[in-house]
Amino acid sequence: MKRIGILSDTHSCWDDRFALHFSDCDEIWHAGDIGYIDVVERLKAVCPVVRAVKGNIDSGVVARQCAELLMFRVEDVNVLLTHIGGYPGRYSRGMPALLRENAIKLFVCGHSHILKVMYDRELGLLHINPGAAGHHGWQKQRTLVKLTIDGGDMRDLEVIELAGRVN
């Protein structure tokens, strides 16, 4: 059984509540638009397993250290983590085939700054966009997500709302 912390779109923002809320996690996943690499380093201080992908604003060290897309397995669940991927019914070009060909059961992406958790009946997978954890963007609420993966079971999904963004 693994407890997973998921965030996206920090845009260089660090909030000490990331550490507070993810302190019980076995892994932390960052779905891009990290900003400064120290966000990833600080997440690694909270949890030794941090998986992070680069987003469309990421450059420099982040772009060199983080892939655009990660596919991996946690327990019995095939996972795809990327920044821009769309969502059920509106996936990015080529994404449905990639998801299908790799038997993905959990698809995590960011980019939109909109918290969205949807089950895709056609592809038989759970889609999670954790919203935006940083201050930059149009979101009214900053959010994080936690999820338990136990074998092939995904459960106990928790949405954590942080204070709204500041201008």
Side-chain angles (χ1 to χ4, degrees):
M1 182 170 66
K2 302 273 186 191
R3 189 74 172 146
I4 312 297
I6 307 171
L7 74 166
S8 183
D9 295 279
T10 49
H11 293 265
S12 301
C13 168
W14 176 261
D15 186 318
D16 288 336
R17 291 173 293 176
F18 299 167
L20 174 73
H21 291 294
F22 291 159
S23 65
D24 65 339
C25 290
D26 299 293
E27 296 190 16
I28 299 172
W29 304 344
H30 195 305
D33 278 3
I34 296 162
Y36 298 130
I37 196 67
D38 67 324
V39 172
V40 173
E41 298 307 320
R42 291 179 85 169
L43 290 171
K44 286 179 181 176
V46 175
C47 179
V49 179
V50 175
R51 302 176 195 256
V53 294
K54 64 183 170 186
N56 57 297
I57 66 108
D58 292 317
S59 61
V61 176
V62 173
R64 288 190 299 276
Q65 289 187 10
C66 299
E68 189 172 316
L69 181 143
L70 293 175
M71 281 192 278
F72 50 94
R73 188 172 181 87
V74 174
E75 297 277 313
D76 298 327
V77 175
N78 290 339
V79 180
L80 191 150
L81 175 66
T82 194
H83 184 60
I84 301 175
Y87 54 90
R90 298 193 61 141
Y91 288 117
S92 299
R93 185 176 178 175
M95 191 56 69
L98 186 63
L99 295 167
R100 192 177 288 109
E101 289 165 7
N102 292 283
I104 300 299
K105 294 299 174 194
L106 177 57
F107 176 46
V108 178
C109 65
H111 186 62
S112 72
H113 292 221
I114 299 169
L115 171 70
K116 194 173 284 204
V117 178
M118 301 174 69
Y119 186 74
D120 183 331
R121 292 184 192 284
E122 183 180 330
L123 296 179
L125 62 82
L126 181 64
H127 166 272
I128 298 175
N129 183 321
H135 295 290
H136 178 78
W138 48 87
Q139 72 278 358
K140 293 188 185 329
Q141 190 67 41
R142 297 168 50 227
T143 52
L144 309 171
V145 170
K146 286 171 60 171
L147 172 76
T148 298
I149 300 176
D150 189 2
D153 186 33
M154 294 174 276
R155 65 172 190 267
D156 303 327
L157 188 134
E158 178 184 357
V159 172
I160 300 155
E161 294 184 342
L162 304 172
R165 71 179 185 89
V166 293
N167 293 323

